[in-house]
Amino acid sequence: AFAAHGVKNAADYGLKILEEYYKEENRSERLMLLLMSCIVEELCRREPVSTHKAREKSAEIMSYIRKNCTGEMNAGELEKVFHYHRNHINRLVKEASGMSLKTYILKARLEAAQRLSEETDMTLTEIAVAVGFYDASHFLKTCRRFGVAIKRR
């Protein structure tokens, strides 16, 4: 879009407009165009999650979820721990795992439940509560929905 004006980006375009701004009498229209161009570029600029830093942060968040999924775990809790907005955390997890944050947390809980069912003699109700579900019925429905087999005791 800026190539049509003989520049590479909004910053160069802004400089060009400012130069013209001081030469012309129609300053308010030019200034408005400059501001609009800068705002549009800033709104369109979004750091891709594929950057090294973002991949590291995604891995850190996902590791934290897997290690702590048995406790209170939701976007609000992660927001407090990582000091990112919940939408940004959701985007990081979604782009790294292909799942929404809610689904990723559920899967982590179900994997923990599967390990508990194989490694302990806990009942289904005990396992359900241990991994963050409030009742065994909801736990079993979620297991079926995700195709997770839990050994019954």
Side-chain angles (χ1 to χ4, degrees):
F2 296 107
H5 300 284
V7 294
K8 294 181 278 186
N9 55 41
D12 291 342
Y13 186 53
L15 289 173
K16 182 178 177 182
I17 290 175
L18 281 175
E19 288 171 3
E20 293 174 10
Y21 174 79
Y22 288 106
K23 293 178 189 173
E24 294 183 13
E25 290 183 24
N26 193 1
R27 292 181 182 180
S28 61
E29 185 178 326
R30 285 285 185 186
L31 187 57
M32 185 59 74
L33 184 57
L34 166 66
L35 291 172
M36 294 299 288
S37 297
C38 291
I39 290 169
V40 168
E41 174 144 345
E42 192 59 37
L43 289 173
C44 293
R45 187 182 318 172
R46 189 170 176 179
E47 183 179 325
V49 172
S50 61
T51 64
H52 181 67
K53 182 179 174 184
R55 281 194 305 270
E56 284 179 354
K57 188 50 77 174
S58 298
E60 184 182 348
I61 291 169
M62 292 162 64
S63 174
Y64 179 87
I65 290 169
R66 286 189 305 276
K67 289 177 186 171
N68 299 287
C69 65
T70 58
E72 181 69 27
M73 178 68 59
N74 57 43
E77 293 299 316
L78 293 171
E79 193 173 42
K80 290 175 189 171
V81 171
F82 292 100
H83 308 288
Y84 281 122
H85 191 274
R86 62 186 66 213
N87 293 345
H88 185 65
I89 292 171
N90 194 35
R91 185 171 65 93
L92 287 170
V93 170
K94 176 100 173 165
E95 290 186 14
S97 70
M99 295 178 244
S100 70
L101 177 61
K102 182 179 177 181
T103 301
Y104 190 83
I105 292 169
L106 276 176
K107 285 241 185 201
R109 285 183 171 160
L110 294 176
E111 288 169 10
Q114 210 166 22
R115 282 191 304 276
L116 285 174
S117 76
E118 293 168 0
E119 298 169 1
T120 69
D121 291 330
M122 295 171 75
T123 66
L124 282 174
T125 303
E126 292 169 332
I127 291 172
V129 171
V131 298
F133 287 86
Y134 293 102
D135 66 55
S137 175
H138 181 247
F139 170 67
L140 288 173
K141 286 178 187 174
T142 305
C143 287
R144 280 193 293 274
R145 192 172 93 214
F146 286 95
V148 174
I150 301 294
K151 292 181 182 178
R152 295 178 184 249
R153 301 216 188 271

